[in-house]
Amino acid sequence: MYVLDIDTVKEQLTMSMAINAIEALLKVQSDHPKWVKTPERLVIPTFEESNNHANGSHLSMPSVVFDGENEYTVVKLVSICPDNPKRGKPTTMATITVSDNATGEILAFLDGIYITQVRTAALSGIATKYLAKQDSRVMAVVGTGGMAYEQLNAILTVRPNIKQVNIWNRTLQVAHKFENKFRQEYPQWQVDFKVYENIADAIKDADIINLATRAKTGLFEASQIKPNTHINAVGAYQATMKEVSNSVIEASASVIIDDVKGGLHEAGDLIQAHNDMNCSWTWEQLTGTLSDLVTEKVRIDTNENKGITLFKSVGAASFDAAVALKIAQKAKEEGLGQLVKL
């Protein structure tokens, strides 16, 4: 078994690798549905909301993947700890195991924090690739927690012509910290940053908006954004959370989700819109899935008149599996990490 810590994973995993791995997985799932088995994740709430703790959750996310020759089981164990930033730790803590189903042997044990960040961002990158205007120039980053760094990296990977990045966070100091850290750790992207105190100013000229928050109500209305904006919404991961307002959802010409089954329980934005009698949007109006975009079952013309497009991400174990399996196979081929015999 190869053990790979977060530093080793970071050295090996690139955003392009993750995007390609997930797109390949989505095509395999479409062509061979039985090759990828992903049961619904187990979610256990942790802590009651109090002055001492924010409520979090523990997730168990298994997936079985057959690549045409071999079959693997990939399991991610996740703890979401909203108080962690105060401790100098990521909100999402995770580990991943990759096993060979022929023998049951564990091939690799990987730190899952960075894989989770990159695969989540890769999903937004794929959605942006198929939904955002080709000539996008301005992006808004709303919410600057641990996930936001790779989210921005993913968007710039698929839309490298972006020149302006507007940043908004409830805490202005955290927004400035995000800017400084991104400049240092991602020097390949030469973009201009501007931090805004008012979210309306940050989003009004954006071609692409990335949301990654724990908001309980919609952060802005459709009237506040451009008519052809693309939105990636990766926060609001519980039914009680909401960062995309009903007016934005109703105004969206296309609404895409990565995992419908998971979304029915966890996509707070869409769940609340569907359940609101004063909102015209329902699940029946969902345009399609990320798989539909990649396999071209759904085609969106990314020209100037495409309308507002919304991508809602809840994640699925199969996406982690696609990325982790690439790293595990590379570790075996190249002897990466630490070899441990059990």
Side-chain angles (χ1 to χ4, degrees), residues 85 91 140-149 152 165-179 181 193 195 210-214:
T91 300
V141 174
V142 175
T144 57
M147 288 288 181
Y149 295 93
L152 178 53
V165 177
N166 300 336
I167 307 172
W168 180 86
N169 192 74
R170 291 190 189 277
T171 305
L172 204 60
Q173 182 180 0
V174 176
H176 284 291
K177 180 181 177 181
F178 173 88
E179 175 189 352
K181 184 176 178 181
F193 287 92
V195 174
N210 243 77
L211 305 175
T213 75
R214 286 168 50 84

Side-chain angles (χ1 to χ4, degrees), residues 29-45:
Q29 281 183 305
S30 178
D31 294 339
H32 306 283
K34 294 183 179 180
W35 284 19
V36 181
K37 304 169 187 175
T38 308
E40 191 171 332
R41 77 192 81 188
L42 172 66
V43 181
I44 305 174

Side-chain angles (χ1 to χ4, degrees), residues 211-220 231-250 255-257 262-276 279 281-283 310-314:
L211 305 175
T213 75
R214 286 168 50 84
K216 296 294 180 67
T217 58
L219 295 168
F220 51 84
I231 302 168
N232 297 307
V234 304
Y237 52 84
Q238 295 177 356
T240 57
M241 296 177 177
K242 187 174 179 67
E243 56 186 3
V244 185
S245 67
N246 286 354
S247 70
V248 171
I249 297 172
E250 289 177 311
V255 179
I256 299 292
I257 196 168
L264 291 172
H265 303 291
E266 299 173 26
D269 316 273
L270 302 183
I271 292 169
Q272 292 181 47
H274 173 87
N275 292 338
D276 189 341
C279 179
W281 190 89
T282 66
W283 282 107
L310 171 63
F311 169 61
K312 178 61 186 178
S313 177
V314 293

Side-chain angles (χ1 to χ4, degrees), residues 1 11 40 130 158 261 285:
M1 176 177 71
E11 288 173 1
E40 191 171 332
Y130 290 93
V158 299
K261 288 184 179 179
Q285 293 172 263

Side-chain angles (χ1 to χ4, degrees), residues 43 49 52 70 83 87 94 116 161 188 191 195 200 209 224 233 238 242 246 256 259 269 274 284 291 299 308:
V43 181
E49 190 79 39
N52 296 324
N70 302 296
D83 292 326
R87 307 179 180 111
T116 300
N161 291 327
Q188 69 270 34
V191 294
V195 174
I209 302 174
Q224 296 177 278
Q238 295 177 356
K242 187 174 179 67
N246 286 354
I256 299 292
D259 179 52
D269 316 273
H274 173 87
E284 287 72 26
S291 176
R299 297 186 181 186
I308 295 172

Side-chain angles (χ1 to χ4, degrees), residues 96-130:
I96 299 175
T97 60
V98 179
S99 303
D100 183 341
N101 285 355
T103 63
E105 294 176 297
I106 297 178
L107 302 179
F109 181 87
L110 306 95
D111 182 283
I113 297 173
Y114 188 65
I115 289 176
T116 300
Q117 292 172 348
V118 172
R119 77 86 158 125
T120 303
L123 297 171
S124 293
I126 294 168
T128 301
K129 174 181 173 181
Y130 290 93

